[in-house]
C-alpha cells in the first residue's frame, strides 16, 4: 500500500471506486446510497454491519476463509466430490434432458447482454 | 445423558411436524437430533474474522423421486449443511460446496438466518412472501452468489425483514428467490425488488414476481412445497 505513494503531492482519496451509470435503473433509489455500492449511514436501532460485494470477495482469499469448515456433512455431489461422474440416479431421464434442452421459453428474459463479460 | 436426550426430544415434539410412522421413526429422529445439536451451538466469529450482522445456515434439499408430497417429507429431505457467523466462515462453507449450476436433478440450496427454517410454516415466514426470478440455464451460479453476498452484506436495508434466499435447480430453468417476513409491507417488498435489480445486474425487462407464502400454500395442493413452481 504505502509503496504507492511515491510522491507526497496531493493524491486522490484511496480506495474510492468509480461506478459508471449507463442505465437509469442503476441509480440508487435513495439519497444515502452510492451508485453500485454501500449505504453510508446508520439505520434506526443502530449501525448495521454492511459489506459490499467487492469487500466480501476480497475476504475469500484470506487464510481464515480457506480452512475447511467444521462438521460439514458429506453429501456426494454437493459438499464432497461425486465419485467422478455423479453416481446419482437419473430421475426419469432428467439429467440427460437437462443437457439436450436449451430452455425454449426465453421470452421473459431477453437479456443476452446480462453477463457477457468479454466480446 | 438421559436428560440431554429427553430435552432434545421435547424440542422436536412441537410445531408442525407430525409424528412419523413407526417404520420411519429411527432415521428422522436421528437427523433431528443432529440438527438440534448444530442449532444449540451458536456459532460465533473467530478471532480476526469479520462478523456478519446475522448468523446464517446453509441447507440443501433434493426431491426424492416417487415420494409423496407433504410438509413432513419435505422436512425429512432437507439437510443442514452448516451455520456461520462471519464472512470467513461463510467462505469456508461456500468454497466446499458445489455451485448451484453444477447440481444435478431437482435440488435446491437455501441460505436462511439461523433459527429460521426454509419452510413456509416457520413463524418467521408464515406471513411472508418471496421475490422470484426465473433464470435460463447457465446463470444460476453467478446470480446466486450475487444474491447471497448482497444478503450477507446487508445490502437490502429492510431492517429485520429478510428471512433467507433459495436457488432451485430445475429441468429447463433455474429459479432464485429471496424471502421476507411481511408480504403485506409494500415499501419493504419494493425496496427488496429494487435492490435485487441493482445487485443482480438484471436488465430492466426481467420479470420479477412476488408471491406470498399463503398463495404458495393455496396453489400447491398435492405438490412438493419447496419446488418454487407456481
Amino acid at each position: 500500500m504505502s509503496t504507492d505513494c511515491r510522491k507526497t503531492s496531493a493524491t486522490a482519496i484511496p480506495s474510492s471506486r468509480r461506478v459508471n451509470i449507463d442505465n437509469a435503473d442503476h441509480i440508487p433509489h435513495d439519497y444515502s446510497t452510492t451508485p453500485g455500492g454501500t449505504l453510508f449511514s446508520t439505520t434506526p436501532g443502530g449501525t448495521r454491519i454492511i459489506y459490499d460485494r467487492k469487500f466480501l470477495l476480497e475476504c475469500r482469499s484470506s487464510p481464515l476463509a480457506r480452512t475447511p469448515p467444521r462438521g460439514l456433512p458429506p453429501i456426494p455431489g454437493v459438499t464432497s466430490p461425486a465419485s467422478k461422474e455423479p453416481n446419482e440416479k437419473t430421475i426419469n431421464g432428467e439429467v440427460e434432458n437437462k443437457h439436450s434442452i436449451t430452455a425454449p421459453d426465453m421470452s421473459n428474459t431477453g437479456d443476452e447482454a446480462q453477463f457477457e463479460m468479454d466480446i | 445423558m438421559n436428560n440431554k436426550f429427553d430435552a432434545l426430544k421435547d424440542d422436536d415434539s412441537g410445531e408442525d411436524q407430525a409424528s412419523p410412522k413407526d417404520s420411519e421413526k429411527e432415521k428422522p429422529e436421528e437427523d433431528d437430533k443432529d440438527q438440534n445439536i448444530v442449532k444449540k451451538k451458536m456459532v460465533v466469529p473467530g478471532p480476526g474474522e469479520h462478523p456478519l450482522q446475522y448468523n446464517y445456515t446453509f441447507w440443501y434439499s433434493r426431491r426424492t423421486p416417487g415420494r409423496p408430497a407433504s410438509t413432513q417429507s419435505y422436512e425429512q429431505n432437507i439437510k443442514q449443511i452448516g451455520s456461520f457467523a462471519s464472512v470467513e466462515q461463510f467462505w469456508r462453507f461456500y468454497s466446499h460446496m458445489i455451485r448451484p449450476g453444477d447440481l444435478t436433478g431437482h435440488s435446491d440450496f437455501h441460505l436462511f438466518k439461523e433459527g429460521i427454517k426454509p419452510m413456509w410454516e416457520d413463524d418467521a415466514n408464515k406471513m411472508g412472501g418471496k421475490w422470484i426470478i426465473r433464470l435460463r440455464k447457465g446463470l444460476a451460479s453467478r446470480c446466486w452468489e450475487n444474491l447471497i453476498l448482497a444478503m450477507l452484506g446487508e445490502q437490502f436495508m429492510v431492517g429485520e425483514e429478510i428471512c433467507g434466499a433459495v436457488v432451485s435447480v430445475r429441468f429447463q430453468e433455474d429459479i432464485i428467490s429471496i424471502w421476507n417476513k411481511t408480504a403485506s409491507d409494500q415499501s419493504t417488498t419494493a425496496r427488496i425488488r429494487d435492490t435485487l435489480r441493482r445487485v443482480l445486474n438484471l436488465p430492466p425487462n426481467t420479470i420479477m414476481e412476488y408471491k406470498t407464502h399463503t398463495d404458495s400454500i393455496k396453489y400447491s395442493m398435492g405438490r412438493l412445497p419447496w419446488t418454487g413452481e407456481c
Side-chain angles (χ1 to χ4, degrees):
Chain A
M1 282 295 175
S2 55
T3 52
D4 287 346
C5 310
R6 277 153 270 132
K7 296 176 190 173
T8 47
S9 59
T11 52
I13 296 169
S15 83
S16 66
R17 184 157 63 100
R18 258 205 141 64
V19 177
N20 294 320
I21 307 263
D22 44 20
N23 184 329
D25 234 52
H26 297 163
I27 297 198
H29 60 278
D30 57 18
Y31 293 109
S32 54
T33 311
T34 53
T38 307
L39 274 164
F40 295 105
S41 68
T42 53
T43 48
T47 310
R48 295 182 91 76
I49 307 172
I50 294 166
Y51 301 114
D52 67 11
R53 181 174 176 273
K54 185 167 166 274
F55 177 82
L56 291 171
L57 288 170
E58 283 164 5
C59 289
R60 186 174 198 173
S61 51
S62 99
L64 287 172
R66 286 176 158 184
T67 52
R70 291 216 333 242
L72 186 72
I75 308 173
V78 180
T79 58
S80 56
S83 35
K84 287 162 195 165
E85 280 303 294
N87 57 351
E88 290 154 358
K89 287 158 265 172
T90 55
I91 311 154
N92 307 327
E94 279 169 18
V95 174
E96 288 93 321
N97 284 346
K98 203 179 73 181
H99 295 298
S100 54
I101 296 175
T102 46
D105 56 333
M106 313 230 302
S107 49
N108 61 346
T109 50
D111 55 351
E112 290 309 306
Q114 188 177 4
F115 289 122
E116 275 176 18
M117 303 294 286
D118 30 37
I119 297 148
Chain B
M1 285 299 241
N2 271 342
N3 286 341
K4 197 168 122 195
F5 283 98
D6 285 347
L8 290 171
K9 228 176 256 169
D10 282 341
D11 277 355
D12 287 343
S13 62
E15 299 202 13
D16 39 45
Q17 197 182 11
S19 59
K21 284 171 209 143
D22 280 344
S23 56
E24 298 172 0
K25 211 164 189 169
E26 226 175 282
K27 212 174 150 200
E29 273 211 349
E30 222 172 86
D31 286 345
D32 285 346
K33 190 184 68 192
D34 287 341
Q35 293 186 355
N36 267 307
I37 288 168
V38 172
K39 215 183 285 172
K40 292 244 156 74
K41 281 191 268 168
M42 277 286 273
V43 280
V44 290
E49 296 179 350
H50 295 86
L52 293 166
Q53 178 72 38
Y54 298 98
N55 290 5
Y56 289 85
T57 304
F58 266 121
W59 306 71
Y60 167 76
S61 62
R62 180 181 170 84
R63 184 161 78 180
T64 321
R67 274 290 190 83
S70 72
T71 299
Q72 196 186 331
S73 70
Y74 172 61
E75 247 193 323
Q76 288 162 10
N77 268 326
I78 188 160
K79 270 191 157 45
Q80 273 195 25
I81 292 175
S83 299
F84 56 86
S86 70
V87 179
E88 287 77 6
Q89 289 168 359
F90 158 71
W91 284 121
R92 276 178 223 160
F93 280 107
Y94 186 81
S95 306
H96 287 82
M97 289 160 55
I98 197 173
R99 300 286 159 275
D102 299 325
L103 283 171
T104 56
H106 198 284
S107 37
D108 315 70
F109 279 130
H110 317 248
L111 181 60
F112 274 70
K113 284 178 183 165
E114 195 177 38
I116 302 181
K117 284 183 187 169
M119 306 176 69
W120 301 327
E121 295 86 349
D122 192 283
D123 278 345
N125 294 323
K126 63 186 180 194
M127 300 302 289
K130 60 184 172 185
W131 277 106
I132 301 169
I133 303 166
R134 294 165 188 279
L135 302 167
R136 62 184 156 90
K137 285 288 178 186
L139 299 179
S141 296
R142 181 157 180 165
C143 279
W144 171 242
E145 185 173 293
N146 286 339
L147 174 64
I148 61 177
L149 291 183
M151 182 171 78
L152 300 177
E154 285 292 317
Q155 295 287 320
F156 286 93
M157 302 311 293
V158 287
E160 312 274 303
E161 271 288 321
I162 302 290
C163 297
V166 185
V167 58
S168 304
V169 174
R170 297 297 178 261
F171 315 141
Q172 299 185 6
E173 62 179 5
D174 300 320
I175 301 160
I176 57 172
S177 57
I178 182 155
W179 294 27
N180 75 298
K181 271 189 188 142
T182 320
S184 57
D185 180 348
Q186 286 185 8
S187 67
T188 287
T189 56
R191 183 174 270 212
I192 295 171
R193 179 200 59 215
D194 294 344
T195 309
L196 281 174
R197 283 195 193 281
R198 176 166 62 86
V199 299
L200 299 180
N201 206 15
L202 297 166
N205 59 345
T206 303
I207 292 175
M208 300 175 64
E209 182 192 350
Y210 192 82
K211 210 167 164 185
T212 66
H213 297 321
T214 47
D215 275 357
S216 299
I217 292 167
K218 234 183 283 172
Y219 299 123
S220 74
M221 302 296 282
R223 291 191 193 174
L224 291 169
W226 72 93
T227 52
E229 283 138 13
C230 303

